[in-house]
Amino acid sequence: MFTGSIVALVTPMDEIGAIDRISLKKLINYHSDSGTSAILIMGTTGETSTLTHEEYGDMVKWTLEFSNGRVPVIVGTGTNSTAEAVSLTRRFNDSGVVGCLSVTPYYNRPSQEGLYQHFKAIAASSDLPQILYNVPTRTGCDILPSTVARLAEIKNIIGIKEATGNLSRVSQIQELVNADFLLLSGDDASALDFMQLGGKGVISVTANVAAKEMAQLCVLAAAGNYVDARRFNKRLMPLHKTLFIESNPIPVKWACKALGLIMTDTLRLPMTSLTEAGICVVRQALTDACLL
């Protein structure tokens, strides 16, 4: 459940910005039918920072209800306040989710010791498996391999989503941790190379719109069939890149709507709709990937 293609799911919203239950159910059915390994809700792509605590609970409840055991559910519970992250993580202890993803604290830019103590406190608050999330371009904070190694010694910290795009991190971390510690790519464009170097999968934005293709790519990579995996990846590469031509999840929400997976591409401020120039580029990438 923590390997392969894990989708970083968008949070579908209706015209007035409320969570769209109908589209959420459609998305979950799509991923169940497509072979997605697990669904991550409340990540960056899910517009987590704009959701209330009540909406957090609703998203977990509805996602578990609609998945009905068909696809494991991971929930993002990280914030830049250790106390709040602990509270969120505890909240979902007995909810039915299989694990938590916890981002490095953004804006306050802690030291490496501060990062260690932050994640240690979160892990101590729950029996759920914890996955670290490193995305310095979003947070202004980079958890270094040596700190990852210290945290990997904590029983329920089972892996890391590395979204630096720096492939050297794979070997740097692998040299310091046990073989069962999971390395997951957080960058679709370099995910296949990441897996060839020893990563176990990807937490993917592209999987929102190319779920079958990303699942198959990961299956091929796990089997060591990189010739066919690269054939899939070549077709998807323009999509990997164009889904980030404007801030995530602006392009991928538009793409989901274009494919009929959600009813609207509504975003919450400060996110705004995909520009006309962006629409042309994303539409072409969907066409080139044989999705539209």
Side-chain angles (χ1 to χ4, degrees):
M1 69 181 75
F2 297 115
T3 62
S5 177
I6 301 170
V7 64
L9 197 71
V10 298
T11 298
M13 298 173 185
D14 62 22
E15 293 85 350
I16 62 171
I19 296 173
D20 178 2
R21 279 173 47 93
I22 294 172
S23 291
L24 179 62
K25 184 175 183 177
K26 187 172 185 177
L27 284 172
I28 291 167
N29 287 339
Y30 167 66
H31 287 288
S32 175
D33 294 342
S34 299
T36 298
S37 296
I39 292 171
L40 167 70
I41 57 172
M42 317 312 242
T44 305
T45 312
E47 296 175 81
T48 304
S49 58
T50 67
L51 299 180
T52 67
H53 282 202
E54 182 179 358
E55 288 171 324
Y56 252 87
D58 287 341
M59 274 293 290
V60 170
K61 178 176 67 176
W62 295 336
T63 304
L64 289 168
E65 174 189 341
F66 297 148
S67 64
N68 195 27
R70 294 175 298 161
V71 188
V73 177
I74 304 166
V75 61
T77 57
T79 77
N80 64 340
S81 162
T82 304
E84 185 177 6
V86 165
S87 177
L88 276 172
T89 303
R90 282 178 175 162
R91 181 179 179 185
F92 301 119
N93 268 348
D94 300 312
S95 64
V97 303
V98 299
C100 298
L101 181 77
S102 193
V103 70
T104 53
Y106 39 89
Y107 185 74
N108 35 14
R109 301 180 70 177
S111 66
Q112 293 301 305
E113 181 61 25
L115 287 170
Y116 175 77
Q117 295 296 338
H118 172 80
F119 289 117
K120 180 182 177 183
I122 294 169
S125 73
S126 174
D127 292 329
L128 285 170
Q130 303 291 314
I131 302 171
L132 311 173
Y133 178 16
N134 192 34
V135 56
T137 56
R138 283 272 187 172
T139 64
C141 175
D142 185 8
I143 183 169
L144 299 179
S146 57
T147 306
V148 174
R150 291 179 68 196
L151 288 164
E153 296 175 1
I154 298 172
K155 183 178 180 181
N156 59 329
I157 296 180
I158 65 164
I160 185 169
K161 175 186 176 182
E162 254 294 334
T164 58
N166 180 359
L167 291 172
S168 68
R169 283 291 176 92
V170 182
S171 60
Q172 289 172 12
I173 295 172
Q174 281 180 323
E175 289 175 1
L176 300 173
V177 299
N178 292 329
D180 57 353
F181 187 80
L182 298 173
L183 275 70
L184 300 168
S185 173
D187 176 59
D188 282 302
S190 61
L192 182 56
D193 292 326
F194 189 100
M195 287 184 278
Q196 190 163 8
L197 291 169
K200 298 302 182 184
V202 57
I203 297 181
S204 171
V205 174
T206 300
N208 278 282
V209 293
K212 288 181 181 178
E213 290 80 0
M214 287 302 296
Q216 186 61 28
L217 185 154
C218 289
V219 168
L220 291 167
N225 184 352
Y226 291 103
V227 173
D228 288 336
R230 290 198 178 280
R231 176 171 52 84
F232 272 94
N233 204 47
K234 183 178 180 180
R235 177 155 57 94
L236 294 174
M237 187 57 73
L239 198 57
H240 295 330
K241 294 179 178 179
T242 58
L243 289 181
F244 291 89
I245 57 168
E246 296 178 28
S247 294
N248 180 41
I250 293 171
V252 73
K253 262 201 163 175
W254 183 90
C256 284
K257 180 190 175 185
L259 295 179
L261 294 169
I262 58 178
M263 288 190 284
T264 79
D265 59 344
T266 302
L267 298 125
R268 288 187 181 175
L269 289 171
M271 292 297 185
T272 53
S273 299
L274 188 63
T275 62
E276 288 299 321
I279 287 171
C280 293
V281 175
V282 176
R283 181 186 285 119
Q284 187 60 55
L286 289 171
T287 302
D288 292 344
C290 302
L291 297 171
L292 190 63

